[in-house]
Amino acid sequence: MTRPRKLYVKSFGCQMNVYDSYRMADMLAPEGFAETAHLADADFVILNTCHIREKAAEKVYSELGRVAALKAKAAREGRRLTIAVAGCVAQAEGEEIIRRAPAVDLVFGPQSYHRLPQLLARAEHEGAVVDTEFPAEDKFDLLKAPSQKAIRARGVSAFVTVQEGCDKFCTFCVVPYTRGTEVSRPVSKILAEIDRLADAGVREITLIGQNVNAYHGEGPDGTAWTLGRLLERVADLPGVARLRYTTSHPGDMDASLIAAHRDLPSLMPFLHLPVQSGSDHVLKRMNRRHTRAGYLETIARVRAAQSKMAFSSDFIVGFPGESEDDFRATLSLVDEVGYASAFSFKYSPRPGTPAAEASDQVPDDVKSERLYRLQGAIDRQQAAFNARCLGRIFDVLFEKPGRYPGQIVGRSPYVQPVQVMAPQTMIGGIAAVKVTEIASNSLFGAFADDGADAEPMLMEA
Ligand code: SAH
Ligand code: SF4
Ligand code: F3S
């Protein structure tokens, strides 16, 4: 029997890449590839890359330096190591990657990974291959389903891509170019995939898409279903205890989705709703298609439907033309909303996007100073939110062994990690936990007394 070849996949960037990396491993499993977590053991290395900011794209090249050295070492030992670059840098840079890193054998974009076995065979027999087409066929129809064993190894919380690509064209963003136009998967395919995951013990499903709430996939009745309607249907599937979705655009929070937060107990009361800026002038130049007031109104509507709601967001500081007053408008929006957590980034000009051409770029030292102030404000809000959790009881889904021996760690409804002393046999279970201690971003807790119901936290400020 031949030794199974070892596959090492490293994901950069967003949840879509995490999902895609699993699908690539699933495509290669029937070809005799077993996954390894150790780069040094690999026969085939795939870097699944992100192009969203310059730093993210540059990470790939430093990683490629390390992998190229391993390839040379393998060659000296008479072994072959094949290197592929997948994902959004592959889509954006194509052949340029092989020019900059000649050790790379294969470059393919997010729409080609269903062809991976054929691409790999070509790269091994014919030399370097680049495939960044947007093919006509639906890759989701051609992908291989994971084995039950693979699903179990990936844990009790799983991502399911329901929508891909984006038609919004925010002026700073590469996603519409790297992922293409917006496409939604049909409801029946999504339900079948989730059924399979739930059968193997998955308890929490996060529906994902670059613009997930623009979902408009074909329902069993032949009409286009909204995300709210899809969530309602998924909530009925046996075994699925918790539902989430990400990432949403503020302009696509429709009534059906807001009603889902009111009506579905398994839909977690947490919403990542990126706003980017609190200034209407900046939002307009970003082509965000929503105003500050519109965003705040959406938040208020979601809160009115579900009082337990907590929010997170993404922010960009130092977008071209952002003045100190614009930036203060962002700080005041943060104050007004009161986030449980948030991500913030310095604007990074991306080749091919309109904002990169603007003549009024903000100097880097100004961006750094604004980022520092914004992150300070966000950190204070996060600490305040966590502090309000002290003494509360809520349901925790246990995911894996914890930080210290004897501990397991799970997630609260608000995605905070919660560490509890408990046997590992409880992983995959959901239990009511009382929060007894807070340390930076982790909560520590103990099982609530028998019979105590997890009391939903009320998040009104
Ligand atoms: N589809 C999501 C976000 C996709 S990218 C949305 O519409 O919000 C994730 C985050 O990266 C964005 O929310 C934005 O805050 C950040 N980002 C995107 N392009 C960027 C750029 N050029 N510079 C800095 N941050 C950027
Ligand atoms: Fe990028 Fe804007 Fe689309 Fe989000 S909505 S993926 S930020 S273009
Ligand atoms: Fe990055 Fe592509 Fe996701 S650019 S954020 S990996 S869609």
Side-chain angles (χ1 to χ4, degrees), residues 52-53 166 170 172-175 209-211 247-249 274 276 288 314-316 345-350:
I52 202 83
R53 287 170 290 276
C166 184
C170 300
F172 52 81
C173 184
V174 293
V175 171
Q210 272 89 14
N211 206 173
T247 294
S248 299
H249 188 280
Q276 316 299 354
R288 282 292 287 180
D314 293 338
F315 294 93
I316 294 177
F345 312 100
K346 288 200 261 184
Y347 169 67
S348 171
R350 306 306 293 131

PDB file of all heavy atoms in Angstrom, residues 52-53 166 170 172-175 209-211 247-249 274 276 288 314-316 345-350, ligand 1:
ATOM      1  N   ILE A  52      -7.313  41.497   1.315  1.00  0.00           N
ATOM      2  CA  ILE A  52      -8.145  42.622   1.754  1.00  0.00           C
ATOM      3  C   ILE A  52      -7.326  43.865   2.104  1.00  0.00           C
ATOM      4  O   ILE A  52      -7.732  44.979   1.817  1.00  0.00           O
ATOM      5  CB  ILE A  52      -9.083  42.205   2.918  1.00  0.00           C
ATOM      6  CG1 ILE A  52     -10.273  43.134   3.027  1.00  0.00           C
ATOM      7  CG2 ILE A  52      -8.382  42.089   4.258  1.00  0.00           C
ATOM      8  CD1 ILE A  52     -11.390  42.815   2.114  1.00  0.00           C
ATOM      9  N   ARG A  53      -6.181  43.662   2.763  1.00  0.00           N
ATOM     10  CA  ARG A  53      -5.273  44.770   3.061  1.00  0.00           C
ATOM     11  C   ARG A  53      -3.871  44.373   2.635  1.00  0.00           C
ATOM     12  O   ARG A  53      -3.579  43.189   2.499  1.00  0.00           O
ATOM     13  CB  ARG A  53      -5.296  45.093   4.568  1.00  0.00           C
ATOM     14  CG  ARG A  53      -6.565  45.795   5.023  1.00  0.00           C
ATOM     15  CD  ARG A  53      -6.681  45.875   6.529  1.00  0.00           C
ATOM     16  NE  ARG A  53      -6.933  44.557   7.091  1.00  0.00           N
ATOM     17  CZ  ARG A  53      -8.146  43.998   7.192  1.00  0.00           C
ATOM     18  NH1 ARG A  53      -9.210  44.639   6.795  1.00  0.00           N
ATOM     19  NH2 ARG A  53      -8.280  42.778   7.693  1.00  0.00           N
ATOM     20  N   CYS A 166     -19.868  39.759  -4.193  1.00  0.00           N
ATOM     21  CA  CYS A 166     -20.487  41.000  -3.735  1.00  0.00           C
ATOM     22  C   CYS A 166     -20.684  41.951  -4.904  1.00  0.00           C
ATOM     23  O   CYS A 166     -19.808  42.095  -5.750  1.00  0.00           O
ATOM     24  CB  CYS A 166     -19.602  41.646  -2.670  1.00  0.00           C
ATOM     25  SG  CYS A 166     -20.359  43.115  -1.989  1.00  0.00           S
ATOM     26  N   CYS A 170     -17.961  48.825  -2.623  1.00  0.00           N
ATOM     27  CA  CYS A 170     -17.437  49.873  -1.742  1.00  0.00           C
ATOM     28  C   CYS A 170     -16.083  50.274  -2.335  1.00  0.00           C
ATOM     29  O   CYS A 170     -15.334  49.408  -2.805  1.00  0.00           O
ATOM     30  CB  CYS A 170     -17.263  49.336  -0.321  1.00  0.00           C
ATOM     31  SG  CYS A 170     -18.817  48.745   0.383  1.00  0.00           S
ATOM     32  N   PHE A 172     -13.238  51.035  -1.318  1.00  0.00           N
ATOM     33  CA  PHE A 172     -11.958  50.599  -0.743  1.00  0.00           C
ATOM     34  C   PHE A 172     -11.707  49.115  -0.937  1.00  0.00           C
ATOM     35  O   PHE A 172     -10.636  48.633  -0.628  1.00  0.00           O
ATOM     36  CB  PHE A 172     -11.931  50.914   0.768  1.00  0.00           C
ATOM     37  CG  PHE A 172     -13.140  50.375   1.513  1.00  0.00           C
ATOM     38  CD1 PHE A 172     -13.201  49.056   1.899  1.00  0.00           C
ATOM     39  CD2 PHE A 172     -14.220  51.203   1.812  1.00  0.00           C
ATOM     40  CE1 PHE A 172     -14.308  48.556   2.570  1.00  0.00           C
ATOM     41  CE2 PHE A 172     -15.332  50.717   2.481  1.00  0.00           C
ATOM     42  CZ  PHE A 172     -15.385  49.383   2.858  1.00  0.00           C
ATOM     43  N   CYS A 173     -12.687  48.366  -1.432  1.00  0.00           N
ATOM     44  CA  CYS A 173     -12.718  46.916  -1.198  1.00  0.00           C
ATOM     45  C   CYS A 173     -12.414  46.081  -2.447  1.00  0.00           C
ATOM     46  O   CYS A 173     -12.933  46.342  -3.530  1.00  0.00           O
ATOM     47  CB  CYS A 173     -14.094  46.542  -0.658  1.00  0.00           C
ATOM     48  SG  CYS A 173     -14.233  44.818  -0.213  1.00  0.00           S
ATOM     49  N   VAL A 174     -11.607  45.033  -2.261  1.00  0.00           N
ATOM     50  CA  VAL A 174     -11.226  44.151  -3.384  1.00  0.00           C
ATOM     51  C   VAL A 174     -12.217  43.008  -3.608  1.00  0.00           C
ATOM     52  O   VAL A 174     -12.149  42.333  -4.637  1.00  0.00           O
ATOM     53  CB  VAL A 174      -9.839  43.504  -3.148  1.00  0.00           C
ATOM     54  CG1 VAL A 174      -8.733  44.544  -3.178  1.00  0.00           C
ATOM     55  CG2 VAL A 174      -9.798  42.705  -1.853  1.00  0.00           C
ATOM     56  N   VAL A 175     -13.105  42.773  -2.620  1.00  0.00           N
ATOM     57  CA  VAL A 175     -13.913  41.550  -2.672  1.00  0.00           C
ATOM     58  C   VAL A 175     -14.716  41.378  -3.976  1.00  0.00           C
ATOM     59  O   VAL A 175     -14.721  40.295  -4.562  1.00  0.00           O
ATOM     60  CB  VAL A 175     -14.814  41.428  -1.417  1.00  0.00           C
ATOM     61  CG1 VAL A 175     -15.822  40.298  -1.555  1.00  0.00           C
ATOM     62  CG2 VAL A 175     -13.951  41.217  -0.176  1.00  0.00           C
ATOM     63  N   GLY A 209     -21.285  34.372   4.106  1.00  0.00           N
ATOM     64  CA  GLY A 209     -21.222  34.961   2.774  1.00  0.00           C
ATOM     65  C   GLY A 209     -20.564  36.318   2.909  1.00  0.00           C
ATOM     66  O   GLY A 209     -20.644  36.923   3.981  1.00  0.00           O
ATOM     67  N   GLN A 210     -19.929  36.805   1.839  1.00  0.00           N
ATOM     68  CA  GLN A 210     -19.306  38.133   1.904  1.00  0.00           C
ATOM     69  C   GLN A 210     -20.362  39.189   2.188  1.00  0.00           C
ATOM     70  O   GLN A 210     -20.080  40.238   2.723  1.00  0.00           O
ATOM     71  CB  GLN A 210     -18.609  38.480   0.588  1.00  0.00           C
ATOM     72  CG  GLN A 210     -17.179  38.009   0.515  1.00  0.00           C
ATOM     73  CD  GLN A 210     -17.091  36.614  -0.036  1.00  0.00           C
ATOM     74  OE1 GLN A 210     -18.047  36.103  -0.597  1.00  0.00           O
ATOM     75  NE2 GLN A 210     -15.945  35.994   0.125  1.00  0.00           N
ATOM     76  N   ASN A 211     -21.579  38.886   1.794  1.00  0.00           N
ATOM     77  CA  ASN A 211     -22.673  39.825   1.963  1.00  0.00           C
ATOM     78  C   ASN A 211     -23.907  38.971   2.260  1.00  0.00           C
ATOM     79  O   ASN A 211     -24.853  38.927   1.496  1.00  0.00           O
ATOM     80  CB  ASN A 211     -22.830  40.569   0.643  1.00  0.00           C
ATOM     81  CG  ASN A 211     -23.427  41.929   0.811  1.00  0.00           C
ATOM     82  OD1 ASN A 211     -23.483  42.677  -0.144  1.00  0.00           O
ATOM     83  ND2 ASN A 211     -23.893  42.241   2.002  1.00  0.00           N
ATOM     84  N   THR A 247     -21.076  37.781   6.904  1.00  0.00           N
ATOM     85  CA  THR A 247     -21.101  39.141   7.358  1.00  0.00           C
ATOM     86  C   THR A 247     -22.227  39.894   6.662  1.00  0.00           C
ATOM     87  O   THR A 247     -22.457  39.697   5.480  1.00  0.00           O
ATOM     88  CB  THR A 247     -19.767  39.837   7.019  1.00  0.00           C
ATOM     89  OG1 THR A 247     -18.727  39.250   7.763  1.00  0.00           O
ATOM     90  CG2 THR A 247     -19.816  41.298   7.388  1.00  0.00           C
ATOM     91  N   SER A 248     -22.834  40.800   7.386  1.00  0.00           N
ATOM     92  CA  SER A 248     -24.015  41.480   6.871  1.00  0.00           C
ATOM     93  C   SER A 248     -23.712  42.901   6.442  1.00  0.00           C
ATOM     94  O   SER A 248     -22.850  43.560   7.013  1.00  0.00           O
ATOM     95  CB  SER A 248     -25.080  41.533   7.960  1.00  0.00           C
ATOM     96  OG  SER A 248     -25.443  40.231   8.329  1.00  0.00           O
ATOM     97  N   HIS A 249     -24.449  43.363   5.461  1.00  0.00           N
ATOM     98  CA  HIS A 249     -24.372  44.767   5.051  1.00  0.00           C
ATOM     99  C   HIS A 249     -25.568  45.501   5.672  1.00  0.00           C
ATOM    100  O   HIS A 249     -26.690  44.991   5.642  1.00  0.00           O
ATOM    101  CB  HIS A 249     -24.415  44.867   3.522  1.00  0.00           C
ATOM    102  CG  HIS A 249     -24.148  46.249   3.027  1.00  0.00           C
ATOM    103  ND1 HIS A 249     -25.105  47.235   3.012  1.00  0.00           N
ATOM    104  CD2 HIS A 249     -23.020  46.815   2.547  1.00  0.00           C
ATOM    105  CE1 HIS A 249     -24.568  48.350   2.540  1.00  0.00           C
ATOM    106  NE2 HIS A 249     -23.305  48.127   2.242  1.00  0.00           N
ATOM    107  N   PRO A 274     -20.992  45.618  10.080  1.00  0.00           N
ATOM    108  CA  PRO A 274     -19.931  46.602   9.833  1.00  0.00           C
ATOM    109  C   PRO A 274     -20.487  47.940   9.353  1.00  0.00           C
ATOM    110  O   PRO A 274     -21.347  47.982   8.473  1.00  0.00           O
ATOM    111  CB  PRO A 274     -19.081  45.957   8.725  1.00  0.00           C
ATOM    112  CG  PRO A 274     -19.366  44.491   8.835  1.00  0.00           C
ATOM    113  CD  PRO A 274     -20.805  44.410   9.242  1.00  0.00           C
ATOM    114  N   GLN A 276     -18.082  50.828   9.157  1.00  0.00           N
ATOM    115  CA  GLN A 276     -16.860  51.414   8.554  1.00  0.00           C
ATOM    116  C   GLN A 276     -16.570  52.830   9.039  1.00  0.00           C
ATOM    117  O   GLN A 276     -15.424  53.146   9.359  1.00  0.00           O
ATOM    118  CB  GLN A 276     -16.889  51.394   7.011  1.00  0.00           C
ATOM    119  CG  GLN A 276     -17.373  50.116   6.360  1.00  0.00           C
ATOM    120  CD  GLN A 276     -16.526  48.883   6.682  1.00  0.00           C
ATOM    121  OE1 GLN A 276     -15.483  48.977   7.319  1.00  0.00           O
ATOM    122  NE2 GLN A 276     -16.996  47.707   6.266  1.00  0.00           N
ATOM    123  N   ARG A 288     -20.924  53.367   0.496  1.00  0.00           N
ATOM    124  CA  ARG A 288     -21.503  52.366   1.378  1.00  0.00           C
ATOM    125  C   ARG A 288     -23.016  52.232   1.203  1.00  0.00           C
ATOM    126  O   ARG A 288     -23.635  51.313   1.712  1.00  0.00           O
ATOM    127  CB  ARG A 288     -21.182  52.691   2.846  1.00  0.00           C
ATOM    128  CG  ARG A 288     -19.781  52.315   3.233  1.00  0.00           C
ATOM    129  CD  ARG A 288     -19.584  50.806   3.240  1.00  0.00           C
ATOM    130  NE  ARG A 288     -20.240  50.158   4.363  1.00  0.00           N
ATOM    131  CZ  ARG A 288     -20.209  48.838   4.570  1.00  0.00           C
ATOM    132  NH1 ARG A 288     -19.594  48.037   3.727  1.00  0.00           N
ATOM    133  NH2 ARG A 288     -20.809  48.311   5.606  1.00  0.00           N
ATOM    134  N   ASP A 314     -17.084  46.488  11.976  1.00  0.00           N
ATOM    135  CA  ASP A 314     -15.752  46.778  11.427  1.00  0.00           C
ATOM    136  C   ASP A 314     -15.673  48.275  11.164  1.00  0.00           C
ATOM    137  O   ASP A 314     -16.672  48.892  10.750  1.00  0.00           O
ATOM    138  CB  ASP A 314     -15.538  46.090  10.063  1.00  0.00           C
ATOM    139  CG  ASP A 314     -15.490  44.578  10.141  1.00  0.00           C
ATOM    140  OD1 ASP A 314     -15.211  44.024  11.222  1.00  0.00           O
ATOM    141  OD2 ASP A 314     -15.713  43.943   9.090  1.00  0.00           O
ATOM    142  N   PHE A 315     -14.474  48.824  11.391  1.00  0.00           N
ATOM    143  CA  PHE A 315     -14.232  50.250  11.122  1.00  0.00           C
ATOM    144  C   PHE A 315     -12.962  50.417  10.302  1.00  0.00           C
ATOM    145  O   PHE A 315     -12.002  49.679  10.489  1.00  0.00           O
ATOM    146  CB  PHE A 315     -14.030  51.014  12.440  1.00  0.00           C
ATOM    147  CG  PHE A 315     -15.257  51.046  13.300  1.00  0.00           C
ATOM    148  CD1 PHE A 315     -15.456  50.079  14.281  1.00  0.00           C
ATOM    149  CD2 PHE A 315     -16.209  52.038  13.129  1.00  0.00           C
ATOM    150  CE1 PHE A 315     -16.588  50.096  15.075  1.00  0.00           C
ATOM    151  CE2 PHE A 315     -17.350  52.067  13.925  1.00  0.00           C
ATOM    152  CZ  PHE A 315     -17.543  51.091  14.894  1.00  0.00           C
ATOM    153  N   ILE A 316     -12.984  51.402   9.427  1.00  0.00           N
ATOM    154  CA  ILE A 316     -11.770  51.803   8.710  1.00  0.00           C
ATOM    155  C   ILE A 316     -11.452  53.234   9.129  1.00  0.00           C
ATOM    156  O   ILE A 316     -12.332  54.104   9.072  1.00  0.00           O
ATOM    157  CB  ILE A 316     -11.983  51.739   7.184  1.00  0.00           C
ATOM    158  CG1 ILE A 316     -12.191  50.287   6.752  1.00  0.00           C
ATOM    159  CG2 ILE A 316     -10.795  52.353   6.453  1.00  0.00           C
ATOM    160  CD1 ILE A 316     -12.485  50.114   5.262  1.00  0.00           C
ATOM    161  N   PHE A 345      -9.393  48.958  11.426  1.00  0.00           N
ATOM    162  CA  PHE A 345      -8.250  48.851  10.522  1.00  0.00           C
ATOM    163  C   PHE A 345      -7.870  50.219  10.001  1.00  0.00           C
ATOM    164  O   PHE A 345      -8.728  51.075   9.786  1.00  0.00           O
ATOM    165  CB  PHE A 345      -8.614  47.982   9.298  1.00  0.00           C
ATOM    166  CG  PHE A 345      -9.282  46.682   9.644  1.00  0.00           C
ATOM    167  CD1 PHE A 345     -10.669  46.545   9.544  1.00  0.00           C
ATOM    168  CD2 PHE A 345      -8.538  45.601  10.089  1.00  0.00           C
ATOM    169  CE1 PHE A 345     -11.295  45.349   9.858  1.00  0.00           C
ATOM    170  CE2 PHE A 345      -9.159  44.402  10.418  1.00  0.00           C
ATOM    171  CZ  PHE A 345     -10.535  44.272  10.299  1.00  0.00           C
ATOM    172  N   LYS A 346      -6.562  50.372   9.723  1.00  0.00           N
ATOM    173  CA  LYS A 346      -6.123  51.552   8.967  1.00  0.00           C
ATOM    174  C   LYS A 346      -6.472  51.314   7.504  1.00  0.00           C
ATOM    175  O   LYS A 346      -6.276  50.201   6.994  1.00  0.00           O
ATOM    176  CB  LYS A 346      -4.601  51.707   9.066  1.00  0.00           C
ATOM    177  CG  LYS A 346      -4.101  52.146  10.407  1.00  0.00           C
ATOM    178  CD  LYS A 346      -2.697  52.722  10.265  1.00  0.00           C
ATOM    179  CE  LYS A 346      -1.648  51.703  10.649  1.00  0.00           C
ATOM    180  NZ  LYS A 346      -0.282  52.247  10.614  1.00  0.00           N
ATOM    181  N   TYR A 347      -6.962  52.339   6.846  1.00  0.00           N
ATOM    182  CA  TYR A 347      -7.256  52.206   5.416  1.00  0.00           C
ATOM    183  C   TYR A 347      -5.984  51.781   4.667  1.00  0.00           C
ATOM    184  O   TYR A 347      -4.916  52.364   4.846  1.00  0.00           O
ATOM    185  CB  TYR A 347      -7.780  53.538   4.849  1.00  0.00           C
ATOM    186  CG  TYR A 347      -7.842  53.491   3.339  1.00  0.00           C
ATOM    187  CD1 TYR A 347      -8.734  52.642   2.692  1.00  0.00           C
ATOM    188  CD2 TYR A 347      -6.957  54.247   2.564  1.00  0.00           C
ATOM    189  CE1 TYR A 347      -8.754  52.553   1.308  1.00  0.00           C
ATOM    190  CE2 TYR A 347      -6.975  54.161   1.181  1.00  0.00           C
ATOM    191  CZ  TYR A 347      -7.870  53.303   0.561  1.00  0.00           C
ATOM    192  OH  TYR A 347      -7.867  53.200  -0.802  1.00  0.00           O
ATOM    193  N   SER A 348      -6.133  50.765   3.832  1.00  0.00           N
ATOM    194  CA  SER A 348      -5.016  50.258   3.026  1.00  0.00           C
ATOM    195  C   SER A 348      -5.404  50.374   1.555  1.00  0.00           C
ATOM    196  O   SER A 348      -6.369  49.740   1.121  1.00  0.00           O
ATOM    197  CB  SER A 348      -4.769  48.793   3.424  1.00  0.00           C
ATOM    198  OG  SER A 348      -3.861  48.167   2.559  1.00  0.00           O
ATOM    199  N   PRO A 349      -4.704  51.208   0.782  1.00  0.00           N
ATOM    200  CA  PRO A 349      -5.076  51.377  -0.633  1.00  0.00           C
ATOM    201  C   PRO A 349      -4.836  50.075  -1.394  1.00  0.00           C
ATOM    202  O   PRO A 349      -3.748  49.513  -1.324  1.00  0.00           O
ATOM    203  CB  PRO A 349      -4.113  52.466  -1.135  1.00  0.00           C
ATOM    204  CG  PRO A 349      -3.467  53.043   0.090  1.00  0.00           C
ATOM    205  CD  PRO A 349      -3.530  52.011   1.155  1.00  0.00           C
ATOM    206  N   ARG A 350      -5.867  49.597  -2.092  1.00  0.00           N
ATOM    207  CA  ARG A 350      -5.738  48.330  -2.804  1.00  0.00           C
ATOM    208  C   ARG A 350      -5.747  48.567  -4.304  1.00  0.00           C
ATOM    209  O   ARG A 350      -6.610  49.301  -4.816  1.00  0.00           O
ATOM    210  CB  ARG A 350      -6.892  47.379  -2.425  1.00  0.00           C
ATOM    211  CG  ARG A 350      -7.071  47.148  -0.953  1.00  0.00           C
ATOM    212  CD  ARG A 350      -5.790  46.672  -0.250  1.00  0.00           C
ATOM    213  NE  ARG A 350      -5.354  45.350  -0.640  1.00  0.00           N
ATOM    214  CZ  ARG A 350      -4.099  45.042  -1.005  1.00  0.00           C
ATOM    215  NH1 ARG A 350      -3.158  45.966  -1.056  1.00  0.00           N
ATOM    216  NH2 ARG A 350      -3.787  43.808  -1.341  1.00  0.00           N
TER     217      ARG A 350
HETATM  218  N1  SAH B   1     -18.550  42.237   3.426  1.00  0.00           N
HETATM  219  C1  SAH B   1     -18.209  42.827   4.624  1.00  0.00           C
HETATM  220  C2  SAH B   1     -16.726  42.970   4.909  1.00  0.00           C
HETATM  221  C3  SAH B   1     -15.686  42.390   4.042  1.00  0.00           C
HETATM  222  S1  SAH B   1     -14.011  42.775   4.348  1.00  0.00           S
HETATM  223  C4  SAH B   1     -18.866  44.202   4.702  1.00  0.00           C
HETATM  224  O1  SAH B   1     -19.494  44.646   3.808  1.00  0.00           O
HETATM  225  O2  SAH B   1     -18.699  44.880   5.678  1.00  0.00           O
HETATM  226  C5  SAH B   1     -13.841  42.858   6.085  1.00  0.00           C
HETATM  227  C6  SAH B   1     -13.465  44.202   6.599  1.00  0.00           C
HETATM  228  O3  SAH B   1     -12.173  44.567   6.138  1.00  0.00           O
HETATM  229  C7  SAH B   1     -14.359  45.319   6.125  1.00  0.00           C
HETATM  230  O4  SAH B   1     -15.530  45.391   6.863  1.00  0.00           O
HETATM  231  C8  SAH B   1     -13.481  46.524   6.284  1.00  0.00           C
HETATM  232  O5  SAH B   1     -13.612  47.086   7.560  1.00  0.00           O
HETATM  233  C9  SAH B   1     -12.073  45.970   6.124  1.00  0.00           C
HETATM  234  N2  SAH B   1     -11.470  46.400   4.864  1.00  0.00           N
HETATM  235  C10 SAH B   1     -11.877  46.091   3.617  1.00  0.00           C
HETATM  236  N3  SAH B   1     -11.084  46.708   2.703  1.00  0.00           N
HETATM  237  C11 SAH B   1     -10.167  47.421   3.394  1.00  0.00           C
HETATM  238  C12 SAH B   1      -9.100  48.297   3.028  1.00  0.00           C
HETATM  239  N4  SAH B   1      -8.824  48.549   1.761  1.00  0.00           N
HETATM  240  N5  SAH B   1      -8.364  48.854   4.022  1.00  0.00           N
HETATM  241  C13 SAH B   1      -8.648  48.608   5.319  1.00  0.00           C
HETATM  242  N6  SAH B   1      -9.639  47.819   5.723  1.00  0.00           N
HETATM  243  C14 SAH B   1     -10.409  47.228   4.773  1.00  0.00           C
END
